[in-house]
Amino acid sequence: SQQGEEDPQALSIQEGENATMNCSYKTSINNLQWYRQNSGRGLVHLILIRSNEREKHSGRLRVTLDTSKKSSSLLITASRAADTASYFCATPLSGGSYIPTFGRGTSLIVHP
Amino acid sequence: EAQVTQNPRYLITVTGKKLTVTCSQNMNHEYMSWYRQDPGLGLRQIYYSMNVEVTDKGDVPEGYKVSRKEKRNFPLILESPSPNQTSLYFCASKDVNTEAFFGQGTRLTVV
């Protein structure tokens, strides 16, 4: 079943502001991934964080993982209109499978 | 170029007419999965496969079949499509140490 749930469902900000999205999951994981989806297109991988990592950076993206709270956050700094998309966290199926499952996503709109 | 290819990209069909959506990956990945995406529901997993001849149900398998006769292909079969299967479908593949790679999606309308 779906493991991760993103929060908020929708986020609307102005260009230049930071955007923070959260993900909560149910069972222990060995890694968590964040994906981006432009309207109606396939998902594109952004970043993977392993269970023994607390924070990871990639360009303007910063991901944190708190395994004690079973939660992760994705921060996009200095957002741009081109960041407008839906963002999903993905966690492995329970039982140690490598097959990712996804939440409902956060829809981010960045106004120019 | 590493890719996952789905066909067709768009399909309008009638209730009850069997159809197959193909999915092929060229990365020799072991794991493949089908998802459907509906407004407000995110991506829900239909079926997945851990290897050749190994498939299992996801969250919403009713009305679908899959097969994995060879590593690169993972077709999704709708034996008797119904309007509630109108959706956007994605195929994905991955390996142990890779992220998931997605196809471009198949937008299916069943009338």
Side-chain angles (χ1 to χ4, degrees), chain A residues 3-112:
Chain A
Q3 261 247 59
E5 279 300 328
E6 295 87 351
D7 174 68
Q9 279 194 314
L11 184 58
S12 180
I13 60 175
Q14 293 296 130
E15 222 170 18
E17 294 180 342
N18 294 343
T20 300
M21 290 157 264
N22 302 297
C23 170
S24 58
Y25 57 91
K26 297 172 188 167
T27 63
S28 296
I29 57 171
N30 51 19
N31 69 78
L32 183 144
Q33 301 175 51
W34 283 91
Y35 289 79
R36 166 195 169 121
Q37 182 186 33
N38 287 85
S39 182
R41 299 196 172 189
L43 279 71
V44 175
H45 181 256
L46 294 176
I47 197 164
L48 178 150
I49 186 165
R50 301 189 193 284
S51 58
N52 61 354
E53 297 174 312
R54 292 293 168 260
E55 189 171 308
K56 203 159 180 182
H57 296 255
S58 176
R60 292 184 297 112
L61 305 180
R62 173 180 166 245
V63 168
T64 63
L65 179 63
D66 187 336
T67 52
S68 66
K69 294 181 180 176
K70 292 187 169 60
S71 68
S72 173
S73 68
L74 170 67
L75 168 67
I76 304 174
T77 59
S79 64
R80 305 166 183 168
D83 294 328
T84 294
S86 291
Y87 293 82
F88 295 85
C89 69
T91 51
L93 272 177
S94 59
S97 160
Y98 293 101
I99 305 288
T101 63
F102 296 83
R104 301 182 185 202
T106 292
S107 176
L108 172 66
I109 298 175
V110 181
H111 299 279

Side-chain angles (χ1 to χ4, degrees), chain A residues 33 48 50 98, chain B residues 29 31 94-101:
Chain A
Q33 301 175 51
L48 178 150
R50 301 189 193 284
Y98 293 101
Chain B
H29 285 166
Y31 307 99
K94 78 181 299 292
D95 223 338
V96 172
N97 294 316
T98 72
E99 70 267 29
F101 290 79

